[in-house]
Amino acid sequence: MRHLEIGGGSDYVGEFNLDPVHGRGEFKRRIQDGLPDVDPFDAARASHVMEHIPAGADRIHAMNAVHAALVPGGTFEIIVPLIGAHTSLVNNYRAWADPTHVSYWWM
């Protein structure tokens, strides 16, 4: 099973890690800059990455790039810090305080 980790840092799951610092070779880039031309993936995962991508064209381009890189029926798991009815600002202050977060996800 071919798995793509997006923004996995130095502790990533799978064979391929698309990361501007810890990625290797063609995978040393941001998802907003597209994916290398490689065989399709069965699964992709972006854990605590999407909140760093501005809404609009950048995020749409990132989502479309992942969709195009998946086999038919492949999965794209997105994990973001959630803020909403069952959470509080006190419990999730880091999501609000992180200056690199450009979007907040509501549950």
Side-chain angles (χ1 to χ4, degrees):
M1 182 163 156
R2 289 174 49 90
H3 180 269
L4 172 66
E5 186 78 23
I6 300 165
S10 61
D11 185 30
Y12 61 94
V13 176
E15 182 180 353
F16 300 93
N17 180 33
L18 187 80
D19 188 288
V21 175
H22 299 284
R24 294 187 199 134
E26 292 183 276
F27 287 88
K28 191 170 188 167
R29 64 171 89 177
R30 304 173 318 152
I31 184 62
Q32 299 96 299
D33 300 326
L35 286 164
D37 188 21
V38 296
D39 291 337
F41 296 97
D42 299 296
R45 178 177 178 236
S47 179
H48 296 275
V49 172
M50 300 305 284
E51 67 270 18
H52 299 274
I53 302 173
D58 281 347
R59 193 172 309 144
I60 290 168
H61 178 69
M63 296 264 209
N64 285 339
V66 174
H67 182 262
L70 291 171
V71 299
T75 60
F76 183 21
E77 178 183 19
I78 299 172
I79 301 166
V80 293
L82 294 175
I83 298 167
H86 301 291
T87 66
S88 71
L89 182 58
V90 172
N91 292 335
N92 293 293
Y93 71 93
R94 281 178 252 154
W96 290 96
D98 187 335
T100 67
H101 287 186
V102 296
S103 66
Y104 301 97
W105 298 68
W106 183 266
M107 62 182 235

